[in-house]
Amino acid sequence: MMEETLYSNSRNKVQPSKLRRIFRSLAQMKPTSSPQRKSSFSFYALTLSFVVFVTVLYGEDFSCILRQPFLKSLQLQGAEKQEESIATQEEDAVLPFAIGRTEKRCDVFNGTWVYDNVTRPYYAEPDCPFIQPQLKCQAYGRKDRAYQNWRWQPHGCSLPSFNATFMLEMLRGKRMMFVGDSLNRGQFLSMVCLLQRAVPKGFKSIQIVGSLTVFKAENYNATLMFYWAPFLVESNSDNAIVHRVKDRIVRARSIDKHAQHWKGVDIMVFNTYMWWMTGQKMKILRGSFDGDLKDIKEMETEEAYRLALRSMVRWVEKNMNPGKTRVFFTSMSPAHERSMEWGGEPDGNCHNETTPILDNPAYWGFASSKSIMQVVKKVLSKSKVPIMVLNITQLSEYRKDAHTSIYKKQWNKLTPEQLANPRSYADCVHWCLPGLQDTWNELLYTKLFFP
């Protein structure tokens, strides 16, 4: 140990050649013509001086030898302090758009639903002219309104109140985009309804061009957008109007067709899930949709989904600046097709459900794939650019009451058999507005400004 220490090449140590010169100089020093007693005293004095000199230079190394039994414990203490320092630095790091932080050890996605007819809903259905007919439950005959009055309450903390004026100020001169399927479009429309209350008449507009829907708050120069891409990558379901294709095909590594419309956005909110759940293997096209579609490979859903997420992550890493932009991914939205799962009738679904599931915090429906959740976790955690997951799945599982059910615009005329059995055509996938998706945006608001 001493030899290794004395002959260290550290910048703070005397080099071996210099050390040898010191020894030689000491050895070559001759006593003066003084008496023998004085010569001996001088030799001892010089020797003592050299010992002091070396001790000062190598005090740390000698102490290392002396303290060898305690070295391991000291190293452990140092490692703990280093971890604490890294954690503190991560906490102190300021993300774009952040003005504060969520309370420590507060999981905003873990909580319960509380009935609140004082502060909820944030807006009335007639007051938001931008809601699509598929989500207007009151306008299409729903009589009960309690589904609008439930507030999400995390355990041990509270969500900050949604402030439309504040968010518009933070979005001044910025662009925010939702990319995905109709469920993400519902979240986009919810955000439009939450914000448009603070925009005067004549200063707000919405325009739909192909796959792109654009809402503008002109007095803030703020833009909210939705882009239809149900698989994120290119597919045979990319037509924003005509896309109900049973034999779904996804083109491998083909995100650029859509992503060219995403560049320059300040806040991205992705989702993709429902369209993958066909119950069959996914068909992956290796060539182009302009060809004869011969080069198709079948793949397990999870593996195909993983490929699409990896394409998204690569695009994010290449195009999103973590110092100026933020990226979110909304987890799977659950469906409620089997009421027997929550103790209801064997042949029922979400139709006529008017209250959440409150007595079973572990409830998880068959329509939500935990294997897909694991794919999301593994792929997004490896991204070089932070992608924050809005884990809305568990809290939405409880909301069997919040679906549009039969209360929406029906694009096709209902048959006498359907009219006789409303459950047969109830939509237990999409959600009424105002309603559950406003809570999704409360969580987005929290993670955007108080991460």
Side-chain angles (χ1 to χ4, degrees):
M1 173 72 179
M2 180 180 290
E3 183 176 326
E4 292 176 356
T5 304
L6 288 175
Y7 289 94
S8 168
N9 287 325
S10 169
R11 292 177 303 173
N12 298 322
K13 303 291 192 294
V14 177
Q15 300 301 315
S17 58
K18 186 173 181 180
L19 195 59
R20 284 193 295 270
R21 286 198 301 271
I22 295 173
F23 276 116
R24 281 198 301 269
S25 62
L26 284 172
Q28 293 170 359
M29 290 185 69
K30 296 180 180 180
T32 60
S33 56
S34 55
Q36 181 68 27
R37 182 177 180 182
K38 184 176 180 180
S39 175
S40 299
F41 176 79
S42 299
F43 176 76
Y44 289 130
L46 286 171
T47 302
L48 180 61
S49 299
F50 174 71
V51 171
V52 172
F53 172 72
V54 173
T55 302
V56 172
L57 283 177
Y58 297 99
E60 181 181 350
D61 300 314
F62 289 134
S63 63
C64 175
I65 298 171
L66 295 173
R67 293 178 297 171
Q68 190 69 20
F70 308 102
L71 182 59
K72 187 173 181 179
S73 63
L74 289 175
Q75 288 174 338
L76 290 174
Q77 291 176 12
E80 291 174 357
K81 288 182 179 179
Q82 186 176 16
E83 289 178 0
E84 291 176 1
S85 175
I86 293 172
T88 302
Q89 291 174 13
E90 290 177 347
E91 289 178 358
D92 292 341
V94 178
L95 292 171
F97 298 96
I99 64 163
R101 63 177 63 176
T102 305
E103 297 175 41
K104 280 190 175 183
R105 299 178 180 84
C106 171
D107 180 3
V108 296
F109 305 112
N110 184 16
T112 188
W113 287 100
V114 177
Y115 186 75
D116 180 355
N117 61 357
V118 177
T119 66
R120 300 296 185 278
Y122 281 111
Y123 57 92
E125 183 181 294
D127 296 335
C128 184
F130 306 107
I131 303 176
Q132 289 188 330
Q134 301 96 307
L135 309 178
K136 283 187 173 183
C137 297
Q138 295 292 315
Y140 286 88
R142 183 161 183 171
K143 302 300 182 183
D144 66 297
R145 295 176 183 269
Y147 67 91
Q148 301 179 357
N149 299 121
W150 292 94
R151 172 173 53 82
W152 180 246
Q153 178 61 59
H155 294 313
C157 58
S158 296
L159 298 178
S161 298
F162 190 98
N163 187 317
T165 302
F166 164 74
M167 184 164 182
L168 285 166
E169 284 291 352
M170 295 295 288
L171 293 178
R172 187 180 289 275
K174 304 294 184 181
R175 297 198 296 165
M176 181 177 190
M177 176 177 276
F178 294 77
V179 176
D181 58 27
S182 57
L183 290 161
N184 217 22
R185 178 169 55 206
Q187 186 176 358
F188 158 75
L189 291 171
S190 164
M191 183 64 82
V192 168
C193 290
L194 288 167
L195 294 178
Q196 66 90 29
R197 302 170 295 153
V199 182
K201 289 183 178 180
F203 290 92
K204 49 191 172 184
S205 63
I206 198 164
Q207 184 179 15
I208 302 175
V209 180
S211 296
L212 187 63
T213 304
V214 181
F215 170 82
K216 289 187 177 181
E218 295 175 9
N219 56 330
Y220 289 94
N221 189 27
T223 304
L224 268 70
M225 296 173 284
F226 167 73
Y227 186 89
W228 172 264
F231 294 97
L232 299 184
V233 294
E234 187 179 354
S235 74
N236 63 347
S237 304
D238 286 343
N239 189 303
I241 299 175
V242 184
H243 49 244
R244 296 189 178 278
V245 181
K246 290 185 178 180
D247 189 22
R248 297 170 188 174
I249 303 173
V250 173
R251 187 182 174 200
R253 300 178 181 87
S254 58
I255 203 166
D256 290 339
K257 174 190 172 183
H258 298 314
Q260 61 180 317
H261 302 284
W262 311 342
K263 292 183 178 180
V265 172
D266 301 282
I267 303 169
M268 295 288 295
V269 184
F270 292 100
N271 98 305
T272 183
Y273 172 68
M274 182 178 65
W275 283 72
W276 296 89
M277 308 312 292
T278 63
Q280 301 174 349
K281 289 185 177 182
M282 287 299 302
K283 293 184 176 180
I284 308 299
L285 175 65
R286 298 294 182 182
S288 168
F289 280 107
D290 296 330
D292 54 10
L293 304 184
K294 288 184 177 179
D295 191 6
I296 292 179
K297 176 184 178 181
E298 289 192 347
M299 189 176 291
E300 295 294 338
T301 300
E302 288 80 3
E303 188 58 32
Y305 189 86
R306 182 179 290 107
L307 288 178
L309 282 195
R310 284 175 176 170
S311 294
M312 183 199 77
V313 168
R314 283 193 294 268
W315 184 88
V316 166
E317 290 174 340
K318 183 178 178 180
N319 294 277
M320 302 297 285
N321 181 350
K324 296 181 179 180
T325 61
R326 294 285 295 280
V327 184
F328 297 87
F329 185 89
T330 303
S331 66
M332 68 184 72
S333 174
H336 293 86
E337 302 282 2
R338 302 178 182 178
S339 57
M340 61 182 299
E341 291 186 333
W342 57 83
E345 298 177 6
D347 58 345
N349 54 23
C350 69
H351 180 57
N352 279 340
E353 294 290 345
T354 57
T355 57
I357 298 171
L358 301 174
D359 58 352
N360 185 5
Y363 173 79
W364 188 273
F366 86 100
S368 299
S369 170
K370 291 188 176 181
S371 60
I372 289 291
M373 290 285 279
Q374 286 299 315
V375 173
V376 171
K377 180 179 179 181
K378 289 180 180 179
V379 175
L380 300 193
S381 65
K382 295 178 181 178
S383 173
K384 298 175 184 178
V385 173
I387 301 176
M388 184 167 288
V389 176
L390 294 176
N391 190 1
I392 54 86
T393 306
Q394 183 67 76
L395 63 93
S396 302
E397 287 280 5
Y398 307 135
R399 296 304 308 274
K400 59 184 173 63
D401 61 312
H403 291 287
T404 54
S405 185
I406 65 173
Y407 306 109
K408 56 184 284 187
K409 180 178 177 63
Q410 303 295 334
W411 297 105
N412 299 313
K413 187 177 180 179
L414 298 173
T415 66
E417 292 77 16
Q418 287 176 316
L419 291 171
N421 181 20
R423 292 175 179 172
S424 65
Y425 66 95
D427 182 348
C428 297
V429 172
H430 299 92
W431 310 93
C432 299
L433 288 181
L436 171 66
Q437 291 185 302
D438 300 322
T439 297
W440 295 5
N441 282 322
E442 282 186 277
L443 293 164
L444 173 58
Y445 177 95
T446 300
K447 289 298 184 181
L448 180 61
F449 300 121
F450 305 94

